[in-house]
């Protein structure tokens, strides 16, 4: 777990997400902060393509997301959310998710492929996740196999059939327009330390097997949908907007138009990339890290 945010950092974080409500550790506070974060802080992996190493430490994450008004991916966004909630008095744990690699729910990424947050309020545990992308906007009740309806869709937590304990692993599923259920990831209810996520965080920053090294992505929830920018290595750029009326895509002319939209839609104006020497120093892997196997059919 990260160190909790300090009182001054909490105030700056709440200003970053545009939240002005109460901060007592209640379900209503959690719901409002969760949604506010999703509407103001983008899911993005731009630093990976700029050679800027991602550090899972409180102050660097706070500086990047709050002071620089940037976004991040799950290891960053959910870590900072957990640190903010802990600083407000919430009881939180980090949980491992294994992202679904197959529509048939039989292939998942490795353990700690995704970082999610458990928040305990009274006798009820809630799943908070501001680092998945297009998923639930309010926390989900953990351990509840029923359908949980939200304004933007319906979700359910289903016990994983391969779990002999019948209570440790849960499929996090989202209902699709055709009424089928898509598995987002396999959740492990055993609390994890932040250090356990370091190998996968390093993997997703450096491995050609990771989607994050192959695609520049910046996406943000809006009150009625989502806006997304993508850039591929072949020089193709795309703007995507989803609304209640549907999905619209258009190609962009070049990097200049991409950067203009990045600034206008997401408020991100990137400084020059680190020098080659800084890049080599920042990306020097920790001697304790090993390259994980990118695909694993079963947890554990």
């Amino acid at each position: 777990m990260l160190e909790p945010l300090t009182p001054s950092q909490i105030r700056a974080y709440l200003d970053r997400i545009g939240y002005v409500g109460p901060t007592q550790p209640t379900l209503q506070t959690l719901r409002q902060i969760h949604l506010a974060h999703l509407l103001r802080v983008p899911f993005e992996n731009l630093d990976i393509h700029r050679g800027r190493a991602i550090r899972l430490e409180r102050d660097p994450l706070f500086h990047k997301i709050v002071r620089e008004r940037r976004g991040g991916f799950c290891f960053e966004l959910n870590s900072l959310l957990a640190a903010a909630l802990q600083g407000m008095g919430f009881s939180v744990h980090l949980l491992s998710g294994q992202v679904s690699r197959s529509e048939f729910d039989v292939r998942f990424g490795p353990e700690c492929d995704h970082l999610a947050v458990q928040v305990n309020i009274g006798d009820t545990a809630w799943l908070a996740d501001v680092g998945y992308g297009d998923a639930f906007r309010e926390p989900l009740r953990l351990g509840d196999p029923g359908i949980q309806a939200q304004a933007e869709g319906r979700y359910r937590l289903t016990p994983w059939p391969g779990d002999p304990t019948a209570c440790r692993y849960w499929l996090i599923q989202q209902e699709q327009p055709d009424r089928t259920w898509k598995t987002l990831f396999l959740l492990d209810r055993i609390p994890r330390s932040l250090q356990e996520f370091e190998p996968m965080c390093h993997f997703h920053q450096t491995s050609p097997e990771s989607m994050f090294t192959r695609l520049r992505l910046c996406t943000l929830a809006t009150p009625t949908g989502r806006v997304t920018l993508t850039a591929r290595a072949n020089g193709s750029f795309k703007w995507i907007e989803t609304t209640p009326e549907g999905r619209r895509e258009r190609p962009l002319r070049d990097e200049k138009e991409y950067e203009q939209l990045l600034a206008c839609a997401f408020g991100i104006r990137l400084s020059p990339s680190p020098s080659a020497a800084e890049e080599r120093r920042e990306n020097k892997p920790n001697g304790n890290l090993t390259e994980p196997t990118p695909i694993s059919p079963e947890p554990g």
Side-chain angles (χ1 to χ4, degrees):
M1 183 68 65
L2 287 180
E3 296 177 79
L5 295 192
T6 66
S8 64
Q9 287 177 330
I10 290 172
R11 289 192 295 271
Y13 167 77
L14 295 178
D15 179 69
R16 169 74 175 96
I17 66 173
Y19 178 74
V20 294
T23 57
Q24 290 83 2
T26 66
L27 178 58
Q28 184 66 11
T29 298
L30 175 63
R31 282 175 168 159
Q32 292 178 346
I33 288 176
H34 195 274
L35 178 59
H37 185 120
L38 287 170
L39 293 174
R40 294 290 287 271
V41 181
F43 180 98
E44 51 106 334
N45 67 339
L46 305 179
D47 278 352
I48 292 173
H49 298 268
R50 301 172 65 237
R52 180 180 177 183
I54 293 167
R55 297 166 55 192
L56 297 186
E57 301 170 19
R58 183 191 66 184
D59 292 343
L61 290 179
F62 173 82
H63 181 79
K64 174 183 176 180
I65 296 170
V66 178
R67 298 301 186 199
E68 295 184 344
R69 305 189 76 79
R70 290 282 307 282
F73 61 172
C74 70
F75 304 106
E76 301 169 277
L77 299 176
N78 282 327
S79 291
L80 189 67
L81 175 68
L85 293 175
Q86 191 176 14
M88 296 177 206
F90 285 91
S91 170
V92 300
H93 300 293
L94 303 182
L95 300 181
S96 165
Q98 297 175 238
V99 177
S100 176
R101 302 290 200 256
S102 165
E103 61 180 309
F104 302 108
D105 308 332
V106 295
R107 289 174 62 83
F108 301 95
E111 288 189 349
C112 298
D113 187 35
H114 178 66
L115 186 157
V117 182
Q118 176 177 320
V119 185
N120 302 314
I121 301 174
D123 296 329
T124 305
W126 297 85
L127 178 65
D129 195 338
V130 295
Y132 188 85
D134 189 10
F136 49 93
R137 298 196 176 192
E138 295 184 2
L140 300 175
R141 287 185 305 278
L142 284 168
D144 181 353
I147 292 174
Q148 300 184 43
Q150 300 185 1
E152 292 75 23
R154 302 203 306 170
Y155 300 85
R156 71 183 185 188
L157 282 70
T158 303
W160 184 54
D163 179 9
T165 71
C167 62
R168 175 175 172 178
Y169 292 100
W170 293 76
L171 299 171
I172 310 302
Q173 299 181 315
Q174 180 182 47
E175 189 178 41
Q176 302 301 292
D178 62 0
R179 301 298 184 184
T180 60
W181 290 89
K182 174 185 176 181
T183 294
L184 304 179
F185 57 91
L186 179 66
L187 183 75
D188 182 354
R189 289 291 307 274
I190 299 299
R192 303 290 186 131
S193 69
L194 186 60
Q195 289 70 32
E196 292 179 81
F197 294 92
E198 289 279 4
M200 284 309 301
C201 183
H202 177 72
F203 169 82
H204 282 302
Q205 292 178 73
T206 59
S207 174
E209 298 296 324
S210 170
M211 66 161 284
F212 294 114
T213 63
R214 301 194 302 268
L215 176 73
R216 271 188 285 167
L217 173 68
C218 188
T219 181
L220 181 68
T222 69
T224 59
R226 177 168 292 275
V227 291
T228 301
L229 268 176
T230 65
R232 297 187 179 276
N234 63 6
S236 64
F237 305 90
K238 186 182 293 185
W239 168 260
I240 307 166
E241 184 174 4
T242 57
T243 68
E245 288 71 43
R247 174 185 172 106
R248 298 193 298 271
E249 298 184 11
R250 70 176 178 89
L252 306 182
R253 293 185 300 273
D254 51 26
E255 182 84 29
K256 182 177 180 180
E257 186 178 11
Y258 170 88
E259 291 178 353
Q260 289 173 341
L261 280 170
L262 195 63
C264 293
F266 303 98
I268 295 178
R269 294 172 175 82
L270 297 175
S271 59
S273 297
S275 68
E278 290 172 330
E279 180 176 338
R280 286 193 299 270
R281 183 172 62 252
E282 289 187 355
N283 284 319
K284 183 178 180 181
N286 185 308
N288 295 324
L289 300 185
T290 57
E291 188 85 349
T293 303
I295 300 295
S296 171
E298 297 183 357

